[in-house]
Every structure is written in structure tokens, then in C-alpha cells.
Amino acid sequence: MVILLADAFSSDLPERLGSFGEVVTDLGRVSEAEVIIVRSKTKVDKAMIDKAPKLKYVIRGGVGVDTIDVDYAKSKGVAVDNTPEASSLAVAELAFALMLALPNHIAEADSSMKQGKWLKKELERTELGGKTLGLVGIGRIAREVAVRAKAFGMSVIAYDKYVASSDVAKMVSLDELYAKSDYISIHTPLTDETRGMIDAAAIAKMKKTAYLVNTCRGPVVKADDVAAALKAGALGGYATDVYDKEPPENLSLASAPHVVLTPHIGASTEENLTRLGDCIVLRMQKYCKK
Ligand code: NAD
């Protein structure tokens, strides 16, 4: 069988998959592929599925399957799997790094020092200790963030439309979370329900000093509404790893104050690429036994 490894994984993965079939990386050979393996770059949409008449199995190395037309794949008899167990630690550590970067003005302190400025008085910090963190969605990644937040002396509350209780966070309504949180970190999938859920109306319910962190998906947050709120002093800060379009164009956030941006690197740790490879090999073993 032809296995199309469409996106970048750990360098040893092609060799590890070699025992299952011929591994190719050329998207031009999609018509021959029985298995397509992607991260988030390659979209397995209707057009791509139509180009792959031999396709039987799509593996998304990662969590979100919003880059795959799962319903269309199923209608064509193509199975779709992800590897949700792999990336939690990597993404949680980035969410936490962003949560630390905002109140400590790490980005501004670094760039001003490199410009020869000494902003010792201007860069007033606040602490995570004693603050309330609100987690929107309390799945695998949020759980890891909660554990780390507690170690920093934070109170952790959470809202999840589909989860009623948690051993790492006190569950509250979404409005209560908005009203009480000093930090809000979003960890939902991108669905019709979550698309645009953090908009001007939601921001208006948050503390004016709240720091918002997004490591889930760009479209969950209306970036223009966040930029407007930051410019108006109606929100404390925003850090995001994810964008409506990637790479983003004409980013309104780039000119807003108290913003930290990273280029969708949540899952991109060396350790996680190895874990993703392990998960993909396990999926292939299972697929080949069927
Ligand atoms: P998960 O499935 O374990 O958790 C998601 C949680 O969101 C679930 O508990 C679910 O009930 C909840 N949820 C769903 N709809 C909701 C709604 N309308 N309101 C509130 N909660 C809702 O997933 P996870 O492993 O924690 O990953 C979360 C998301 O993080 C992924 O879907 C993906 O989009 C994103 N992600 C980003 C990166 C990155 O590189 N930045 C990497 C991996 C995952």
C-alpha cells in the first residue's frame, strides 16, 4: 500500500512506517494513497478525498479533526483517526508559558532591552499566585494546565458544556467564569458551537484586567473584537498560538497592546513529535490487523 505522509513529523517516522507499505511525501501521489497521514497543514477536504480513489484511512497526528471533512470521508468509506493522547503536555506547557509571558511583559521587556531601552519602572508585573484561572473546556489539555496552575497557587474554575464535574477544577457557568477569572484559557475544539464564542459580548462580561490565552483554534475567538477591546482598555491582554488563517494576513492583533503571538507551535515539541510517531505506528498496526 502507499502511505502518504503529507506533513512534517519526526525524521525517523518514514522508516518506522516502511514495514507497512511504501511511504511517500509527494502530494502529487495522492491518487495512489491508501493511507494519508497529516498534522494541521494539509487539509483533507472534499477535493483531496475525491483525488484519492484508493483512500481507506486518514490519520491526523494531533487532536483537532477540523482540518478533515470527516462526514465526507465516512460517506466514502474512509476511516478517520486522530492521536489525542499525544499532545496534551506540549500544548499545556505553551498555554502556561503564554500565561506567564503576559503579566511578566516578557515579549516587551525583551524587545525593549534589545532596542537599548531600560523600562524598569514602566514594566509593572503582576503575579499568578492567588489569582483565578478560568478554563473553557476541561479536556486533556485543560487538565494539564489546571495541575500547573494549582502548583502556582491559583484557584481553578472551569466551564464545559459536556462535562459536569472535574477533580482539578470547580465547575461554574460560563458567565460566572467570565466574571470571576483573572486569566481565561480556552481549550475547546473548533465546532459550530464554539466558532466565534469569544466575541465582543463575551469580552464585555470579563474583567477589564483579564488575560486571555488561546491555544485551541483561531476562529473560536473573534480576533478583531479582542484587538478592539485591547485598544479600548477593556481587556488586560491576549496571547494566542492560533489564527483564523494560518499563516495570518493583516493581523489586527499585531497593532494592539499587550498581545503575545506564537506561530501555532503548541504541539511542536521534540518530545511530542516522537509521541505522535509512536501513536501513528500503533494506529497503523491496528489498521493492518483488520
Ligand atoms: P479534549 O477533547 O480532551 O477536550 C475538549 C473539551 O472541550 C471537552 O471536554 C469538551 O467537552 C469541551 N467542549 C466541547 N464543546 C464545548 C463548548 N461548546 N463549550 C465548552 N466546552 C466544550 O481536547 P484537548 O486534547 O484538550 O484539545 C483541545 C483543543 O486544543 C483541540 O480540539 C485542538 O483544537 C486544540 N489543539 C491545539 C494545538 C496547538 O498546536 N495549539 C495542539 C493540540 C490541540
Side-chain angles (χ1 to χ4, degrees):
M1 79 172 99
V2 170
I3 302 166
L4 174 60
L5 200 55
D7 292 332
F9 288 90
S10 60
S11 55
D12 63 343
L13 191 58
E15 197 188 321
R16 292 179 75 189
L17 294 175
S19 57
F20 302 108
E22 184 192 355
V23 182
V24 300
T25 54
D26 176 7
L27 284 175
R29 292 187 64 183
V30 65
S31 63
E32 300 166 59
E34 179 174 329
V35 177
I36 298 179
I37 303 175
V38 293
R39 286 182 69 199
S40 56
K41 191 174 174 208
T42 301
K43 316 289 174 226
V44 186
D45 52 13
K46 195 170 178 288
M48 185 163 192
I49 294 168
D50 283 342
K51 278 188 215 154
K54 294 183 179 167
L55 186 63
K56 293 208 177 83
Y57 190 29
V58 177
I59 307 177
R60 157 80 166 98
V63 188
V65 286
D66 48 292
T67 49
I68 298 168
D69 192 335
V70 178
D71 290 339
Y72 190 65
K74 276 188 187 152
S75 78
K76 293 277 177 181
V78 176
V80 177
D81 249 345
N82 60 351
T83 61
E85 67 274 36
S87 306
S88 311
L89 184 58
V91 185
E93 286 194 6
L94 184 72
F96 214 81
L98 294 173
M99 241 164 75
L100 279 166
L102 282 168
N104 290 299
H105 309 297
I106 299 292
E108 208 185 336
D110 176 69
S111 63
S112 57
M113 284 298 291
K114 287 172 183 167
Q115 288 163 24
K117 294 182 198 157
W118 185 251
L119 301 184
K120 185 173 167 66
K121 281 200 187 108
E122 291 84 346
L123 296 179
E124 223 170 77
R125 299 166 49 227
T126 55
E127 298 168 359
L128 296 189
K131 302 295 190 313
T132 297
L133 166 65
L135 296 166
V136 182
I138 188 75
R140 294 178 196 86
I141 296 169
R143 195 186 167 75
E144 296 292 340
V145 175
V147 170
R148 282 150 186 79
K150 286 187 168 177
F152 268 67
M154 302 182 87
S155 303
V156 183
I157 58 177
Y159 164 77
D160 192 307
K161 190 167 178 190
Y162 301 100
V163 177
S165 66
S166 164
D167 58 341
V168 291
K170 179 180 175 240
M171 302 306 289
V172 296
S173 70
L174 189 55
D175 278 355
E176 190 178 345
L177 183 144
Y178 288 152
K180 288 196 171 155
S181 299
D182 302 298
Y183 290 79
I184 296 174
S185 192
I186 316 154
H187 299 284
T188 66
L190 175 63
T191 64
D192 289 344
E193 281 173 353
T194 62
R195 188 179 294 277
M197 83 184 278
I198 309 284
D199 58 6
I203 295 165
K205 294 177 184 170
M206 297 174 191
K207 293 184 182 182
K208 281 192 167 64
T209 50
Y211 288 120
L212 186 61
V213 175
N214 184 8
T215 53
C216 69
R217 283 291 180 266
V220 173
V221 172
K222 288 199 171 164
D224 290 346
D225 290 3
V226 169
L230 288 168
K231 285 175 186 167
L235 188 68
Y238 182 54
T240 187
D241 186 44
V242 283
Y243 307 88
D244 287 351
K245 189 172 179 292
E246 296 182 353
E249 284 162 12
N250 304 319
L251 201 57
S252 55
L253 289 168
S255 59
H258 312 302
V259 169
V260 176
L261 307 174
T262 52
H264 203 152
I265 51 172
S268 305
T269 64
E270 196 182 318
E271 295 85 345
N272 191 41
L273 288 182
T274 303
R275 282 193 299 269
L276 287 176
D278 292 343
C279 293
I280 288 165
V281 169
L282 284 175
R283 301 287 185 282
M284 283 303 297
Q285 282 168 348
K286 222 170 155 188
Y287 173 73
C288 289
K289 271 189 200 149
K290 275 182 189 165

